[in-house]
Amino acid sequence: DVKVTQSSRYLVKRTGEKVFLECVQDMDHENMFWYRQDPGLGLRLIYFSYDVKMKEKGDIPEGYSVSREKKERFSLILESASTNQTSMYLCASSARGLDTQYFGPGTRLTVL
Amino acid sequence: QKEVEQNSGPLSVPEGAIASLNCTYSDRGSQSFFWYRQYSGKSPELIMFIYSNGDKEDGRFTAQLNKASQYVSLLIRDSQPSDSATYLCAVNQDAGNMLTFGGGTRLMVKP
């Protein structure tokens, strides 16, 4: 079974803090994705990566950056957290050439 | 902008009935279609996918695809209260394994 894990289930941070969200997958998947999910807005793609050290902007990259130093790990960074970044953050992965994405458990981030 | 549309619901069905969830998409070039189930506070989990026109059955679930009309549906037979969740439709985009998600339909199965 595909397993995608995320570093925290719940996180509370203060405005202006730098926040790191980590995602690890154990299926040797090439593709990894970061989404945020908000009521009424659905799942929105922040960034994705097709390979180590590669990254592409999704639909809403502003205020975020990512890092992929190892194939199994994809990190989302909030350089200076703001209250409008309070959300559920979901990581997903898929194999090269395949569309099926598998999700991690999510991190509910609250920025005060 | 490629779009995937779902009725947000809630769709309420009695236990044992058939629940029918629908999804339309705008990109005629889409080839892969997915249904995810998401319980409140949890992450989406894959139920099934379909690539070809027609029906695909997996247990109590049947996915139906009609590319000419650009819709995909999910039927849940013998609905159970444990099926109560939000169901997300996802459609592939042209470039590199990305998916576009619909907003989800909330299903409530009443005992």
Side-chain angles (χ1 to χ4, degrees):
Chain A
D1 279 351
V2 175
K3 189 160 186 186
V4 182
T5 58
Q6 295 183 230
S7 49
S8 305
R9 289 301 310 277
Y10 300 95
L11 207 53
V12 179
K13 295 292 182 180
R14 297 212 173 268
T15 302
E17 282 193 79
K18 192 168 185 176
V19 182
F20 293 88
L21 302 181
E22 289 205 321
C23 175
V24 178
Q25 49 90 10
D26 68 355
M27 285 302 293
D28 202 35
H29 283 173
E30 287 77 15
N31 306 323
M32 296 188 76
F33 307 84
W34 273 108
Y35 296 90
R36 63 177 284 178
Q37 187 176 33
D38 302 286
L41 296 177
L43 274 164
R44 294 182 290 169
L45 183 64
I46 306 172
Y47 267 97
F48 59 98
S49 170
Y50 292 135
D51 207 343
V52 176
K53 298 197 184 291
M54 292 183 66
K55 59 184 179 184
E56 297 285 343
K57 293 180 179 179
D59 299 321
I60 52 164
E62 296 78 19
Y64 303 94
S65 62
V66 290
S67 173
R68 192 154 180 213
E69 296 297 317
K70 293 185 178 182
K71 189 176 185 179
E72 68 271 18
R73 189 180 300 268
F74 192 34
S75 301
L76 179 69
I77 304 154
L78 286 66
E79 295 290 342
S80 177
S82 63
T83 55
N84 63 12
Q85 292 178 311
T86 292
S87 186
M88 169 73 97
Y89 289 87
L90 291 160
C91 175
S93 72
S94 68
R96 190 190 305 282
L98 297 177
D99 299 322
T100 309
Q101 292 184 19
Y102 298 92
F103 285 85
T107 295
R108 186 164 293 281
L109 172 67
T110 302
V111 183
L112 302 176
Chain B
Q1 179 76 12
K2 296 169 184 174
E3 294 182 347
V4 178
E5 300 286 342
Q6 296 180 257
N7 189 318
S8 62
L11 172 66
S12 182
V13 300
E15 184 174 356
I18 296 175
S20 177
L21 306 164
N22 299 312
C23 170
T24 59
Y25 59 95
S26 62
D27 181 14
R28 283 197 171 274
S30 296
Q31 297 293 323
S32 309
F33 307 86
F34 302 84
W35 283 101
Y36 288 83
R37 176 176 62 201
Q38 187 175 24
Y39 292 113
S40 180
K42 303 293 185 182
S43 63
E45 57 178 320
L46 181 69
I47 298 175
M48 61 192 305
F49 54 84
I50 186 167
Y51 299 139
S52 304
N53 273 330
D55 295 0
K56 179 181 179 183
E57 188 174 316
D58 184 1
R60 295 187 295 114
F61 299 97
T62 298
Q64 299 176 317
L65 175 61
N66 184 323
K67 289 185 179 180
S69 301
Q70 294 177 245
Y71 81 78
V72 56
S73 61
L74 179 70
L75 302 179
I76 306 175
R77 289 183 300 281
D78 188 24
S79 295
Q80 300 297 310
S82 59
D83 294 326
S84 298
T86 296
Y87 290 80
L88 303 174
C89 171
V91 176
N92 80 306
Q93 297 185 22
D94 291 335
N97 309 134
M98 288 199 296
L99 299 179
T100 299
F101 287 84
T105 298
R106 185 175 162 219
L107 173 66
M108 297 172 59
V109 181
K110 300 197 170 181

